Amino acid sequence: MTSRAYLSELFSLDGRVALVTGGSSGIGRAIAGALARAGARVVVLARGEAELIATTAELTSDGCRAAWVSGDLSTREGVRAAAETAAGVFGEPDILVNCAGINLRPPMTELTDDVWDTTLAVNLEAPYLLGQRFGPGMAERGFGRIIHITSQQAHRAFVQSGAYGVSKGGLESLARSQAEAWSPHGVTCNTLVPGFVLTPLNARLATDPEKVASLAARTMTGRNGLPEDFAGAAVFLASGAAGYVTGQSIFVDGGLSVH
């Protein structure tokens, strides 16, 4: 067997269907592109139609099979409606990537009930509802991959994380509970933990050059993250190669968390 054939067999996503929330920008867009180029049929779920159209147009122009669904993940009704629409495109997903999130981060001393409710709804409850919708089907079919994108704030107090950190900590616990429930049936559930990544979600911090430089200096690589840094990790976790990796938090952060 040639090395190309071996790697293709190990990591190919041919025949798989993936749903990527928040897949029209930042880390989600990079992951959607990686999964599609690895062979999966990808449905990108987000709010803004212009970004969704641009993302899927780029993928289809590269010969990938991709489609988009616009949905509101801030309400249970919106999540459920978006899930059913997404499942009707290429069929029930084998891979679910929860990357959609909101970055409302007032410190605890300024936190309001509305910000708390909205943050938990999008960052934690939506992944829970999508898992409940698609996880049992994956288990019944004997294969599934659930990947959540979390944060350094899931593990440590960092830049006044407030409710955002709570939501991401809960998301890592959700992955472990999902793994306990469904991994005996071939469904792995893991999280990718970014460092500081230059994306639209971090636009507020990215406008402060001194802060950006200080965060880069805290890493072992000497730079902040880019969305494309998550492509390989996502393909690995989504593939057959990661069948014995579940319930884990995998840091893709340039060593920030251990420096």
Side-chain angles (χ1 to χ4, degrees), residues 31-238:
I31 289 176
L35 299 182
R37 293 180 177 99
R41 290 166 288 169
V42 175
V43 179
V44 180
L45 170 59
R47 287 179 299 177
E49 290 193 8
E51 293 83 1
L52 285 164
I53 292 169
T55 299
T56 53
E58 176 187 323
L59 293 176
T60 54
S61 69
D62 281 351
C64 301
R65 294 190 65 185
W68 60 269
V69 170
S70 178
D72 179 8
L73 300 183
S74 67
T75 69
R76 291 181 177 180
E77 295 76 13
V79 173
R80 289 175 175 139
E84 295 311 314
T85 302
V89 179
F90 297 125
E92 294 287 314
D94 308 292
I95 302 160
L96 169 64
V97 181
N98 286 305
C99 194
I102 56 173
N103 195 12
L104 305 175
R105 288 198 281 192
M108 293 298 291
T109 53
E110 301 171 15
L111 188 60
T112 64
D113 290 349
D114 287 344
V115 169
W116 173 271
D117 290 344
T118 303
T119 300
L120 272 290
V122 176
N123 293 0
L124 181 57
E125 183 161 277
Y128 158 73
L129 292 171
L130 291 171
Q132 292 296 97
R133 169 60 181 83
F134 297 121
M138 294 177 184
E140 185 175 338
R141 295 189 300 274
F143 180 93
R145 300 288 186 263
I146 298 176
I147 304 169
H148 304 297
I149 309 303
T150 62
S151 170
Q152 298 289 320
Q153 286 93 313
H155 298 265
R156 57 189 54 81
F158 186 64
V159 294
Q160 296 290 325
S161 59
Y164 182 83
V166 174
S167 70
K168 294 299 187 177
L171 195 52
E172 296 206 0
S173 292
L174 175 64
R176 291 188 288 270
S177 293
Q178 290 171 329
E180 184 179 34
W182 297 320
S183 291
H185 309 287
V187 183
T188 67
C189 309
N190 296 286
T191 70
L192 292 175
V193 188
F196 178 68
V197 183
L198 297 168
T199 70
L201 193 67
N202 283 324
R204 178 177 60 85
L205 285 174
T207 59
D208 184 341
E210 290 187 5
K211 188 66 174 178
V212 170
S214 69
L215 288 167
R218 290 178 60 175
T219 70
M220 291 180 171
T221 58
R223 69 171 177 87
N224 291 308
L226 298 171
E228 52 264 36
D229 290 323
F230 295 82
V235 170
F236 165 65
L237 288 180

